[in-house]
Each structure stands twice: as C-alpha cells, then as structure tokens.
Amino acid sequence: MSDGPESLRGKKYPAKKHAQKVLSHLKSKNSSKADNANFFISGEDLVLYKYCDQTRPFRQNRYFYYLSGCNIPGAHVLYKSKQDQLTLYLPNVDKEDIMWSGLPMSKEEASEKYDADEIKYEADIEADLKAVEGIIYTTDINDFNTKFANALTEKDETFFYALDEARAIKDEYEIELMKHAAKITDNCHLAVMSALPIETKETHIHAEFAYHALRQGSKNQAYDPICCSGETCSTLHWVKNDGDITSDKRSVLIDAGAEWECYASDITRCFPVNGDWTKEHLDIYNLVLKMQKEAYKLMKPGANWEDLHLRAHRVLIEGFLELGIFKKEFSVDEIFEAKGSAGFFPHGLGHMLGMDTHDTAGNANYSDPDPLLRYLRIRRKLEPNMVVTNEPGCYFSPFLLEETLNDPVRSKFINKEVLDKYWYIGGVRIEDDVVITEDGYEEYSKITKDPQEISKIVKAGLAKGKEGFHVVV
C-alpha cells in the first residue's frame, strides 16, 4: 500500500498559507470587507442513516479541508486575520466512544500533523468566537455549526469568490497530492485493460478499478466510476455499470479516478473488447486523440479555454469530412457556423480539477444559448498552476443526435449511410490530467493512450486466460 508522495514526507498541508491566500483574494475583490475579516468553517461529521445506527459514508467539506488539511469528522477551523492565527478545533473526547473506535488524536499529535498555530477542542469554540474582533465569515449555517450561528455571517458572495479563486491556483503540495492520485489511477486503468478474461460485465470493470485503488491506499473514488461497453459509451455519465461485456459490443470506455487525501484524479481510456480495433472504432479513437493533441498546442498561460474547445470542434469537423460522415461539398466553416458538431461533441473540452472533480472557479455558463459552449466548464484564461482536464469526445447517441438529425439546417451536412456504420461504437473519450506551467503545460497522467500499445496490453491479458491472470499492481 502507498504511503503517499515521497516529496511530501515530513511536510504539512499548507493550511495557513491557504487562509492567507483567501484573505488576499478577499482584499482584491473588496478591500473594506477584508479589513479585520475572519473565517470559521465546520467540517462534516458522522451522520446516522435515518432509523439506523449506521453512519453514512464520510466525505469531508472541501472548503474546511482547504483551510485545515484535516479529515477528522466533527472538527472546526478558525482563522483570525488581524492576528494571522489559525486554530484547529478537534471534537470533544467522548470516553464511551473510545471503546468502539479507539483513542482519538491528541492535541499534541494534531500539532505535529497539522499546520495550525493552536489546537483546541470544540468546547472552546463558543468563547473564542465571542472574543473575535470583526466579522466572522462562514460558507453556510448547517447542522454542524448552528450552535455558533449568532457569531457567524453566512453565504457572503465575496467570501465564496475568495475561497474559489484561492482553490483555482494550486500550490506545490496540492499538485503533488494530485499527481499521486493520478499515479494510482494509471495503475488501475492498466489493471482493467489487462484483466479482460475476468471482466465479462461492466460491474467487473468497476470492481477491478476500485480493488486496485484500495490496494494502493486510496479508499475513496473521486466520483462514481463510469464503466461502459458498446452503445452505453454514448451516455456521458453512465454509472449503472450493469451491462454485459460481449464480443459483439467491441468497445469499452472507463472514466474513473482515485482520490488521495481529498484530492481528485480524473482519467478516461477506451479499448477494444478483444484487443483488435475495428476500422470505425479506430477511426474515431484517432480523431479524438487528434482533437486532444491540437488542444495541447494552444495550452499555455493566457490562453482562453474557449479557443481550445472550439479548436477541438473544428478538428472533429475536419475528421468527419475525411471519413465521409459529413458531406464533402460543405466546408469546415459552414458546418462550424451551423453548430453541426454540437450533437457529436456535446460536453466541454475539460474542467478544473482539485479537491472536487469539477473544481471551483471555472466560471461555467450553462444558460449560454450557443450549443457549442453551453456545457463548457471553463470560461476563463489559463494561469500557471491551474490543474485542468483535457477530455475531448465523440459520441453516436440517438438521443443526443435526434435534434440534429431532425433539423434540416444541420442534417443536410450528414451522410446518414456512413453515419450508420458508427452507431455501435457508442462513444470515445480520452481524458488526461494537466497542470499549467509558466510557459506551457505538463500532462501528468501517464497510462498509455497509444492505440497499438493499448491493443498489446489487452491481448496480453486475454492470452493469459482466466487461469493465468494475476494482480497487476
């Protein structure tokens, strides 16, 4: 099992620097609000299922984690800007609970582990908040902080802006956590590709991925794995994962990412069921790969993400003209202006990545009337140390294409006889995790996307058969 990145051994998650960073963004947005501003956020706690003594799965509040680095249920954090002081409050010690759960972390242990000026217990919060000078911002009043509600100011838009903008630019520590999550995910994708003899259902792919993630120390997935085969690959967030993987389906798509210390990875790979790409599947796979490569050519600080996304649409149109899916008597510009590619590539090129899979400050505009931009999750210029995904896709979904095929303006571009050859693929998506550097980008997800290498991996697994299969990671 992995213990985490070697580069972070002996270092603390930089919670106090994060609080200072939030304050800086608050000042840049509204200097008067930042004067004597303070931040208090309660983490999540264990919550029982209704009518049951079993707790729901625990997932830490991401804003709380950003200011604390603490994944303990029932903890709280206070940052006093005037004193530049960060205080972490541990839950009160419940002696009865020790019998069931063991000894809790002590204040001394917490002081060694967390980047806080003070470690206290929840019992100290009420008096401490009363003594604070100035306004105390919190995200919202909820079940975990309602007893302190009179001291708190919730849902301030400027505070949310400051939190989100701070999270948008990652520091070295965060990037190392994300690279480690991606390394685990790379191994899981390799394991899935290698294990076709025992993966006869989409559920098996899900299980294979989660098993190898857990073996490497990642107990949580960043999101529900998307495990598709054949025509279900045309559903963007297929999480039923309940179909049979049969030879007639021919294509598999897995979009899954392990989590490490509350930080996400998000990687998508496609492969042929029997290791042999069909002509149509390989046509589309290579086209999507070209869409990704062309987007990379524009990726650098100062680049507008919309330009990368729209370039990917033009590459798709160029590819469809070459394949004959779009009729050759029309030009790329004609089809692009008519939004003819929207039904085949309905989502955005990618999204911000961090503690959340679709992380903060992307500035999406889901009410945009332009179908090429409506679902684009990044609507801003790139900056160094942003982490994004580059994930073009191409889909053949009767549902997604119904409007296009019934629209005389857009349907005239399509050669339906050629299109009919591609329905069985469902869809192809290739997704990688990328950090923006000072002069370009670094793609840090490493599992191969070369179609020939993928074919060799799948065939090597099939050659072993069920009896010869062994754990890959």
Side-chain angles (χ1 to χ4, degrees):
M1 187 182 84
S2 171
D3 293 320
E6 284 284 343
S7 60
L8 298 183
R9 298 285 169 82
K11 297 180 180 179
K12 295 181 179 181
Y13 181 90
K16 188 170 179 178
K17 285 185 178 178
H18 289 176
Q20 293 165 343
K21 196 173 170 186
V22 172
L23 182 65
S24 175
H25 281 289
L26 195 66
K27 285 180 179 177
S28 68
K29 190 72 171 177
N30 189 324
S31 59
S32 61
K33 278 191 175 181
D35 291 340
N36 218 6
N38 307 277
F39 315 142
F40 178 84
I41 299 181
S42 297
E44 296 291 311
D45 205 347
L46 297 175
V47 177
L48 295 173
Y49 285 112
K50 198 171 184 178
Y51 311 124
C52 180
D53 64 356
Q54 182 180 342
T55 59
R56 298 176 185 274
F58 176 75
R59 185 181 189 272
Q60 188 57 281
N61 178 310
R62 275 15 189 183
Y63 289 121
F64 168 79
Y65 193 88
Y66 187 70
L67 296 180
S68 69
C70 177
N71 210 24
I72 297 173
H76 312 259
V77 66
L78 171 66
Y79 176 68
K80 294 186 286 187
S81 66
K82 190 173 183 180
Q83 294 83 6
D84 188 29
Q85 184 181 61
L86 190 77
T87 303
L88 175 63
Y89 297 91
L90 302 177
N92 296 328
V93 176
D94 182 346
K95 292 184 178 178
E96 185 175 316
D97 187 57
I98 293 173
M99 176 176 68
W100 303 103
S101 306
L103 288 170
M105 181 178 285
S106 69
K107 293 204 302 184
E108 292 73 24
E109 289 170 327
S111 182
E112 286 292 317
K113 181 176 176 64
Y114 300 115
D115 180 31
D117 297 301
E118 269 190 309
I119 305 293
K120 292 187 172 184
Y121 287 111
E122 184 181 339
D124 299 312
I125 292 176
E126 190 169 359
D128 285 359
L129 292 181
K130 285 181 180 178
V132 170
E133 298 176 20
I135 195 166
I136 307 174
Y137 292 110
T138 194
T139 51
D140 54 284
I141 305 299
N142 54 42
D143 290 343
F144 311 127
N145 63 15
T146 186
K147 68 183 79 172
F148 315 121
N150 291 338
L152 305 175
T153 298
E154 67 169 337
K155 300 186 188 306
D156 183 88
E157 289 185 7
T158 311
F159 180 47
F160 270 110
Y161 167 85
L163 282 166
D164 290 345
E165 284 296 311
R167 283 176 56 180
I169 309 298
K170 273 62 179 179
D171 53 48
E172 183 181 347
Y173 196 103
E174 292 176 287
I175 291 170
E176 287 300 308
L177 291 178
M178 296 176 75
K179 285 183 175 180
H180 189 70
K183 182 179 179 181
I184 292 172
T185 298
D186 284 339
N187 290 334
C188 294
H189 275 286
L190 177 60
V192 168
M193 287 181 196
S194 303
L196 260 292
I198 60 172
E199 291 168 356
T200 58
K201 296 180 180 293
E202 292 168 358
T203 304
H204 297 165
I205 290 178
H206 186 153
E208 193 76 32
F209 188 96
Y211 165 73
H212 286 281
L214 187 58
R215 279 183 63 89
Q216 295 174 86
S218 174
K219 294 184 178 182
N220 299 306
Q221 299 296 302
Y223 53 95
D224 287 339
I226 299 163
C227 304
C228 330
S229 58
E231 293 182 2
T232 60
C233 299
S234 69
T235 302
L236 305 186
H237 285 174
W238 177 266
V239 293
K240 294 180 182 179
N241 302 344
D242 60 357
D244 291 327
I245 301 176
T246 55
S247 58
D248 62 297
K249 287 190 174 179
R250 290 175 278 190
S251 61
V252 171
L253 182 155
I254 173 170
D255 181 340
E259 183 179 288
W260 188 263
E261 298 290 343
C262 293
Y263 280 82
S265 60
D266 186 1
I267 301 170
T268 305
R269 289 295 184 266
C270 301
F271 52 90
V273 168
N274 64 1
D276 289 318
W277 298 88
T278 64
K279 178 188 180 302
E280 294 83 11
H281 194 195
L282 187 58
D283 285 344
I284 300 306
Y285 186 88
N286 283 330
L287 175 55
V288 174
L289 194 58
K290 185 177 180 181
M291 291 163 69
Q292 191 189 53
K293 289 176 179 177
E294 289 296 312
Y296 275 132
K297 290 179 181 179
L298 302 177
M299 193 177 291
K300 61 182 179 180
N304 192 323
W305 189 260
E306 292 178 17
D307 294 338
L308 280 70
H309 173 73
L310 294 177
R311 175 59 186 143
H313 268 279
R314 284 187 173 273
V315 173
L316 184 146
I317 294 168
E318 292 165 2
F320 272 23
L321 285 169
E322 291 177 11
L323 295 172
I325 298 173
F326 285 154
K327 295 174 182 176
K328 290 182 170 60
E329 62 259 36
F330 297 102
S331 70
V332 172
D333 286 343
E334 284 179 287
I335 300 170
F336 180 82
E337 293 302 325
K339 321 295 182 185
S341 56
F344 296 96
F345 178 22
H347 60 77
L349 178 68
H351 50 79
M352 307 286 271
L353 186 66
M355 284 185 282
D356 289 317
T357 308
H358 300 149
D359 212 36
T360 62
N363 302 336
N365 177 15
Y366 299 125
S367 62
D368 194 319
D370 188 338
L372 297 186
L373 297 172
R374 185 176 302 141
Y375 299 111
L376 185 58
R377 288 191 168 100
I378 303 177
R379 305 294 294 271
R380 61 185 293 168
K381 291 183 178 180
L382 297 175
E383 299 177 49
N385 287 356
M386 280 183 174
V387 179
V388 300
T389 65
N390 185 357
E391 56 169 317
C394 179
Y395 307 87
F396 299 91
S397 163
F399 172 75
L400 291 174
L401 290 172
E402 182 179 12
E403 183 179 338
T404 298
L405 293 172
N406 290 329
D407 177 2
V409 175
R410 286 180 285 173
S411 64
K412 68 182 180 183
F413 303 129
I414 299 172
N415 185 325
K416 294 183 176 62
E417 287 186 13
V418 177
L419 174 63
D420 286 344
K421 298 177 182 178
Y422 290 86
W423 290 112
Y424 75 88
I425 297 167
V428 169
R429 182 167 63 254
I430 302 171
E431 179 178 22
D432 285 287
D433 299 347
V434 189
V435 59
I436 306 303
T437 62
E438 290 296 331
D439 56 1
Y441 68 91
E442 177 193 352
E443 180 187 274
Y444 62 83
S445 44
K446 302 298 184 184
I447 178 64
T448 185
K449 53 194 164 187
D450 178 271
Q452 305 312 318
E453 290 183 10
I454 289 173
S455 180
K456 289 177 182 177
I457 292 168
V458 173
K459 287 185 174 183
L462 290 170
K464 293 175 185 174
K466 292 182 180 180
E467 300 302 320
F469 180 76
H470 64 277
V471 174
V472 175
V473 295

